[in-house]
Amino acid sequence: MSSDYAKNLIAQVKAKNPSEPEFHQAVEEVVESLDVVLQRHPEYRSAKILERMVEPERVIMFRVPWMDDQGEIHINRGFRVQMNSAIGPYKGGLRFHPSVNLGILKFLAFEQVFKNSLTTLPMGGGKGGSDFDPKGKSDNEVMRFCQSFMNELYRHIGPDADVPAGDIGVGGREIGFLFGQYKRLTKEFSGVLTGKGLNWGGSLIRPEATGYGAVYFAQEMLKTRGKGVAGLTFAVSGFGNVAWGAVQKIDELGGKVVTLSGPDGFVYDKDGIKGEKIEYMLKMRASARDSVKDYADEFKVEFHAGKRPWGIKVDVAMPCATQNELDDNDARTLVKNGCICVCEGANMPVTLPGFKVLHEAGILYSPGKASNAGGVATSGLEMTQNSMRLPWSRTEVDQRLHQIMKNIHDTCLQTAERFGMPGNYVAGANIAGFLKVANAMLDQGLV
Ligand code: NDP
Ligand code: 2IT
């Protein structure tokens, strides 16, 4: 039961930020789990730490004009939300998707603050992007858009100030165009973006890192119930960067992934997604057709139009597409079908009522800010390599990523236990992520 303090804070955030339901949702989840911390530690309340944390340090919003291949001019909106820099430069991805708006980016930036704190690396939280729709655009159109986007963004970022990366709709190609324009405008070759190409400052494993990390996290959760990935069946949603990394690692560890999904529906591949089928995921994403049905046509498997994959009987569910893609009805179906673990690869894919169903059923459940932190953690490792001007081997990066995911897992469990909520990964992640940032804010005075 939330305290009056928590209820008032949530009410204030809703009143002050109308029309931002995703931001309200992210704040509500965090404030509910921090209630006990704020009761035990009045110093955070009197210093108004949480009230400060729900207000971005800065929001930059700008016009992005660009010209398509036919010579027609388009105007999109660009954003960068610089949420919190208490423990390091702002760090977080850029999302290009028509659904992007300020509220969505504030929710993502808010989550990023806690996630980055959990990684143990010195990174603050930020997020940005645009309502630009990459679907059906040519490479040249994407390049012109990225250049125009950077023409404004470059004045607000820097290797020690704010380091953007990829997210939905922003992968290696976009990071390349953005980096090229930043370099041209600033005359600097620096580690200002992560997810760079391997021969110009990128890190091995960064493309796979979010998916790999989420599977390492699931592995640790399963261990607490005496289980391993081998022999288990997985439902994965999405077919983008995160889903691809997750499918690869599950396959490598002997698990079987039977679903993928897209905006058009989901595929059910009873034999498991492996080998050339994993390679095909990359082709499907690069085609910019946005259709997972292509996989069903190519490999002659079942396609369920307009549906999500949560009705399939599996041991583990890994939502890896987008926010609010698994609701309370889906959660009930998964539990009824004997699912033992839901591990979030995407950011906030499970709704608040969905989380409550999973929590009450007592199945393993990890919030994205803990289980998908491997992507930004490896971005942090890319920043370290850039500063040293030395690249690490694949094994070195993977071992560090694996260790970071284990640490995050253990920190979540230990913190949840310490605050009287054993086994609650949501509470553990929120509290552990909060404490480090809150203490840094106390140390640094009223900023
Ligand atoms: P990609 O663009 O590579 O893939 C995104 C997938 O989600 C696609 O299948 C996409 O289909 C689908 N999707 C996106 N928006 C929607 C929507 N509104 N409705 C239905 N489906 C949608 O992105 P990523 O794999 O990088 O990101 C997936 C998730 O993981 C996001 O929540 C992201 O924030 C999170 N994440 C990403 C990290 C990274 O390093 N890339 C790190 C940590 C978390 P379509 O766009 O065609 O609708
Ligand atoms: O949501 C995320 O953590 C990301 N999109 C990755 C951010 C990053 O800076 O690598």
Side-chain angles (χ1 to χ4, degrees):
M1 202 55 199
S2 303
S3 66
D4 286 345
Y5 170 78
K7 282 189 203 138
N8 283 339
L9 184 60
I10 293 165
Q12 276 171 29
V13 167
K14 288 183 177 170
K16 202 167 174 184
N17 305 278
S19 326
E20 296 182 1
E22 293 87 359
F23 182 55
H24 304 164
Q25 184 182 339
V27 169
E28 200 163 339
E29 183 215 280
V30 166
V31 172
E32 280 180 4
S33 25
L34 289 179
D35 225 7
V36 47
V37 183
L38 297 170
Q39 278 166 26
R40 275 195 210 174
H41 293 277
E43 67 273 22
Y44 298 131
R45 276 176 69 160
S46 53
K48 302 248 165 99
I49 294 291
L50 205 45
E51 288 84 341
R52 282 193 252 164
M53 284 177 75
V54 296
E55 197 62 40
E57 287 180 17
R58 191 174 301 102
V59 174
I60 299 136
M61 217 168 123
F62 49 98
R63 174 168 73 202
V64 190
W66 60 280
M67 192 177 277
D68 69 20
D69 291 344
Q70 284 69 46
E72 191 180 334
I73 292 169
H74 301 262
I75 291 94
N76 282 99
R77 188 171 283 177
F79 304 87
R80 186 73 182 163
V81 178
Q82 298 183 328
M83 202 72 182
N84 195 303
S85 62
I87 63 167
Y90 308 106
K91 179 84 195 89
L94 296 172
R95 177 177 290 194
F96 293 168
H97 195 273
S99 62
V100 162
N101 57 40
L102 183 58
I104 287 183
L105 295 178
K106 277 171 68 181
F107 118 64
L108 289 162
F110 184 70
E111 294 263 304
Q112 199 80 44
V113 173
F114 296 82
K115 183 194 306 194
N116 293 3
S117 164
L118 286 170
T119 64
T120 70
L121 302 174
M123 299 182 292
K127 200 89 187 187
S130 174
D131 56 0
F132 173 73
D133 186 358
K135 185 173 171 177
K137 303 290 188 298
S138 71
D139 284 353
N140 279 330
E141 288 172 332
V142 171
M143 181 179 73
R144 285 196 291 273
F145 174 79
C146 288
Q147 290 176 338
S148 179
F149 186 83
M150 189 51 88
N151 283 345
E152 175 59 33
L153 187 69
Y154 87 96
R155 10 173 149 257
H156 310 287
I157 62 175
D160 295 311
D162 184 352
V163 183
D167 192 78
I168 290 177
V170 178
R173 174 183 62 167
E174 291 74 17
I175 294 293
F177 295 147
L178 291 163
F179 182 81
Q181 189 69 356
Y182 180 86
K183 185 161 61 72
R184 196 173 176 200
L185 291 165
T186 60
K187 300 184 285 154
E188 266 178 24
F189 192 106
S190 73
V192 69
L193 291 150
T194 57
K196 298 186 288 297
L198 276 183
N199 48 16
W200 43 277
S203 174
L204 286 160
I205 306 278
R206 177 62 189 90
E208 298 89 336
T210 311
Y212 277 22
V215 178
Y216 292 145
F217 198 96
Q219 202 178 18
E220 294 303 309
M221 287 203 287
L222 290 165
K223 253 191 224 165
T224 66
R225 305 263 164 114
K227 294 192 156 50
V229 170
L232 298 187
T233 308
F234 287 69
V236 169
S237 64
F239 63 94
N241 172 263
V242 179
W244 167 73
V247 173
Q248 268 189 56
K249 189 50 83 177
I250 294 165
D251 178 47
E252 189 188 312
L253 296 176
K256 183 158 92 166
V257 181
V258 294
T259 68
L260 292 177
S261 72
D264 51 338
F266 80 92
V267 294
Y268 178 38
D269 186 346
K270 293 188 185 67
D271 296 333
I273 300 164
K274 47 172 66 103
E276 57 158 342
K277 293 173 172 176
I278 301 178
E279 291 301 308
Y280 188 77
M281 288 176 73
L282 290 178
K283 278 194 211 149
M284 213 164 33
R285 195 88 210 109
S287 77
R289 281 169 42 79
D290 246 354
S291 156
V292 81
K293 183 174 179 294
D294 292 1
Y295 180 102
D297 295 341
E298 178 80 11
F299 299 110
K300 312 280 175 280
V301 300
E302 279 178 35
F303 174 67
H304 297 260
K307 295 230 164 64
R308 299 189 285 208
W310 316 125
I312 300 293
K313 187 173 159 47
V314 289
D315 301 304
V316 182
M318 292 192 63
C320 295
T322 193
Q323 64 272 1
N324 293 327
E325 53 160 324
L326 197 162
D327 63 17
D328 46 333
N329 285 327
D330 299 321
R332 273 186 282 274
T333 308
L334 284 168
V335 171
K336 183 166 67 71
N337 284 340
C339 173
I340 54 171
C341 175
V342 176
C343 175
E344 293 189 349
N347 285 311
M348 210 170 73
V350 176
T351 62
L352 271 180
F355 158 58
K356 285 183 179 143
V357 171
L358 300 174
H359 183 62
E360 274 155 28
I363 75 169
L364 296 164
Y365 166 69
S366 67
K369 60 170 82 74
S371 44
N372 74 29
V376 73
T378 308
S379 280
L381 300 177
E382 182 172 329
M383 290 165 73
T384 307
Q385 295 169 76
N386 292 164
S387 301
M388 294 193 307
R389 302 220 178 331
L390 271 181
W392 286 332
S393 69
R394 199 176 162 84
T395 311
E396 169 129 29
V397 180
D398 194 31
Q399 278 171 353
R400 285 179 187 270
L401 166 66
H402 201 156
Q403 192 57 50
I404 288 171
M405 297 315 296
K406 275 188 177 159
N407 290 347
I408 298 176
H409 174 270
D410 295 352
T411 301
C412 289
L413 268 195
Q414 286 155 9
T415 310
E417 177 91 36
R418 181 149 70 91
F419 284 88
M421 292 172 272
N424 185 338
Y425 287 90
V426 173
N430 287 336
I431 296 172
F434 169 80
L435 287 174
K436 185 173 166 191
V437 177
N439 290 332
M441 290 173 75
L442 282 182
D443 290 346
Q444 291 170 23
L446 193 51
V447 287

